[in-house]
Amino acid sequence: MNGLLTDDQRSALEEFRAFADAEIAPHADPAHRAQRTEPAVVKALADTGWMGLAIPAEYGGLGRDAVQLGLLAGELGRACSSIRSLLTVHTMVAHAIGRWGSREQRERWLPRLATGELTAALAVSEPGAGSDMAAVATALTREGEGWRLDGHKKWITYGETADLLLVVGRSAEGPTAVLVERGTPGLRTALITDLIGIRASMTADVWFDGCAVPGENLLGRPGLGVSHVAGAALDLGRYTVAWGSVGILDACLAASVDYAGRREAFGAPIKEHQLVRRMVSTMYADRQAARLLCLEAGRLRDARDPGALAAASTAKYFASTAAVRAASDTVQIHGANGCGPDYPAQRLLGDAKVMEVIEGSTQLHQTGLAEYAFQESARARRPHADAVTADAVRRDR
Amino acid sequence: MATDAKARIAHYLSGFFPVTDLKDDDDLFALGFVSSMFAMQLVTFVEHEFDVVVENEDLELDNFRSIGALEAFVGRKLAATAAS
């Protein structure tokens, strides 16, 4: 992959890798068992400045490109999917504020999100609204100059600890996004435990009981909370989850290669057994392919190419499903050890399965990718704009 | 210029709508073929294709409702950029 990166990206990758190995990986299994992220780990990440890696420099961030953000998500994902999910939801909210926030909102929130003084979470899912975001029922009612918020959000990653929540509720105009600060009277959260994966992700139920939201906390126009605000956030979320899945593939491959080289069965290391080699080779090829899809999505994102959305969806779909295959095979290669607590294999399997569910389920992406294929085909059949324009110019003459 | 913009918009939209001749004033949102990410795809296309920035205050549905509306919107954004 190094040949496909610029010098800055390559240098950043080395930094991310060293940090993930030293500061994140040692905490992954303990955090998985304790089902919580220690504040010291969040502080270590915040101290690097990378919570604001992609936030523009004019708002206190590092203003790095999308490829570097992806590389960071990949390295955090290799070390600990819960911490990678913190980066994902935090950057989703920062991106939505940067994309659709007023100058006042950007100046108010982004510098503190960039330093990690504040952490953010996206509160869209509800008990009855997951993939179908437009079905949100949390009520946003105009009250004076502001809004009143009533409802129940569920499966909110880092909802238990986030200082700032981007909430999509339903107003008279349709789905509408507002920013809600922790400490707002009527806001209550409760940790959800015993998840299958990302068990340290402080995922929470969030209740809003008559929360008063100031008018200046409206993000984007009323009615555009899903199509534009959550849409922009989700697109970035898919991108970093895709990279996080590449990180899981990296971790699976490293664990499998190491174990297969040390474990002996029938008088030889199990890496000599052809069916074990088959699992490792599939894992290796999947990791390479997933990484290339993610790099392409990042390159298109940096070029502001409209094809970036389809590329992120493709990368997320492929990388997350490949991560599940790889994690399942990692458990298989480890045998009984893969099922127990002494090796990371079972953590990787649970984490990988979550990747297939969040930021658009596998089935949602499959449906969407077919649509992208039909779009490409339809455009290919239609004369290109240049030809259309040339015809029009000839007619005008 | 106007014709060029219209042709580029029509070509991009032809991928979304299974109609052979999308008319300038056909209501894109009433045709019913758009996906959940269509809004962001359209914003990204306009920004990339015409090198403009779509701001929050630009998000009037009427700016994005049809080929003609998009062409007029792009024209206004380009004129504003040139004047600044």
Side-chain angles (χ1 to χ4, degrees):
Chain A
M1 174 173 71
N2 276 356
L4 300 172
L5 302 177
T6 66
D7 288 346
D8 285 348
Q9 290 163 352
R10 204 160 35 243
S11 163
L13 176 59
E14 287 171 13
E15 279 188 82
F16 302 153
R17 187 170 288 160
F19 172 80
D21 284 339
E23 304 290 340
I24 304 298
H27 298 280
D29 281 320
H32 173 76
R33 284 192 285 273
Q35 301 193 65
R36 56 180 55 247
T37 298
E38 290 299 325
V41 178
V42 180
K43 182 176 185 309
L45 180 60
D47 286 347
T48 62
W50 297 337
M51 301 276 279
L53 190 85
I55 293 176
E58 66 177 304
Y59 295 111
L62 298 178
R64 304 276 189 90
D65 59 38
V67 169
Q68 290 190 52
L69 177 63
L71 295 171
L72 175 60
E75 288 305 310
L76 294 182
R78 180 177 60 81
C80 174
S81 285
S82 290
I83 290 298
R84 194 276 313 142
S85 70
L86 170 65
L87 178 79
T88 289
V89 296
H90 185 80
T91 54
M92 287 169 83
V93 174
H95 178 63
I97 294 172
R99 188 67 184 82
W100 299 120
S102 64
R103 173 157 284 279
E104 292 73 23
Q105 288 173 326
R106 294 195 293 259
E107 288 175 346
R108 179 180 178 193
W109 299 112
L110 293 182
R112 288 194 287 166
L113 292 174
T115 60
E117 176 192 339
L118 300 180
T119 59
L122 186 72
V124 179
S125 295
E126 298 179 358
S131 295
D132 184 6
M133 292 189 294
V136 292
T138 292
L140 258 175
T141 316
R142 286 188 192 274
E143 201 167 73
E145 297 295 307
W147 302 82
R148 176 192 165 102
L149 186 60
D150 292 279
H152 175 198
K153 296 291 181 181
K154 196 172 178 70
W155 314 118
I156 309 308
T157 306
Y158 283 92
E160 180 66 2
T161 53
D163 303 292
L164 185 66
L165 294 163
L166 195 174
V167 182
V168 176
R170 177 166 298 283
S171 71
E173 292 88 345
T176 299
V178 291
L179 295 165
V180 180
E181 294 179 74
R182 183 165 298 276
T184 300
L187 169 64
R188 185 165 54 93
T189 64
L191 190 67
I192 300 172
T193 57
D194 299 324
L195 296 171
I196 189 175
I198 58 167
R199 287 163 62 91
S201 63
M202 310 305 283
T203 293
D205 276 296
V206 181
W207 290 272
F208 306 97
D209 297 318
C211 290
V213 181
E216 65 262 27
N217 283 19
L218 173 71
L219 185 63
R221 288 176 171 249
L224 303 184
V226 166
S227 60
H228 291 76
V229 181
L234 189 65
D235 177 41
L236 184 64
R238 289 172 172 179
Y239 175 68
T240 56
V241 167
W243 272 105
S245 301
V246 172
I248 292 174
L249 282 155
D250 276 331
C252 287
L253 190 58
S256 296
V257 166
D258 176 66
Y259 190 84
R262 288 187 295 108
R263 176 75 178 187
E264 292 195 1
F266 306 107
I270 61 171
K271 74 173 186 179
E272 303 303 331
H273 300 312
Q274 288 188 330
L275 292 178
V276 170
R277 296 181 80 87
R278 176 180 179 274
M279 287 188 275
V280 172
S281 60
T282 301
M283 211 178 289
Y284 179 80
D286 276 352
R287 191 273 308 268
Q288 300 298 88
R291 185 180 278 165
L292 287 172
L293 286 171
C294 286
L295 276 173
E296 175 71 351
R299 190 187 65 76
L300 291 172
R301 191 171 187 88
D302 282 327
R304 296 168 56 214
D305 190 300
L309 284 91
S313 177
T314 307
K316 194 275 181 184
Y317 163 70
F318 183 84
S320 61
T321 51
V324 172
R325 288 193 295 273
S328 177
D329 283 347
T330 300
V331 170
Q332 198 67 22
I333 289 168
H334 283 69
N337 282 326
C339 303
D342 298 333
Y343 289 81
Q346 42 81 29
R347 169 170 59 83
L348 293 168
L349 181 57
D351 289 346
K353 191 60 198 172
V354 173
M355 300 305 103
E356 264 208 287
V357 173
I358 59 173
E359 266 52 281
S361 67
T362 290
Q363 290 67 34
L364 205 71
H365 285 282
Q366 287 172 320
T367 307
L369 291 176
E371 182 57 33
Y372 291 130
F374 291 127
Q375 288 172 18
E376 281 184 16
S377 171
R379 283 196 200 97
R381 285 200 305 272
R382 186 185 170 94
H384 190 272
D386 294 343
V388 175
T389 305
D391 287 345
V393 169
R394 275 195 297 277
R395 279 200 306 275
D396 288 347
R397 285 174 182 162
Chain B
M1 181 61 199
T3 305
D4 177 59
K6 186 185 293 184
R8 287 151 71 185
I9 293 166
H11 181 257
Y12 183 71
L13 290 174
S14 69
F16 292 91
F17 300 98
V19 288
T20 50
D21 287 311
L22 200 58
K23 297 180 182 61
D24 288 0
D25 58 353
D26 279 344
D27 187 331
L28 304 177
F29 299 99
L31 289 172
F33 300 113
V34 296
S35 69
S36 60
M37 295 303 274
F38 174 70
M40 282 309 301
Q41 282 180 281
L42 198 51
V43 167
T44 312
F45 162 74
V46 167
E47 291 189 331
H48 181 261
E49 190 73 18
F50 301 104
D51 197 21
V52 297
V53 177
V54 177
E55 309 277 5
N56 190 32
E57 51 269 27
D58 296 323
L59 294 180
E60 295 284 355
L61 209 55
D62 285 346
N63 285 336
F64 295 86
R65 191 178 292 283
S66 65
I67 291 174
L70 277 160
E71 181 194 16
F73 169 64
V74 167
R76 288 194 298 277
K77 292 295 287 187
L78 290 174
T81 303
S84 63

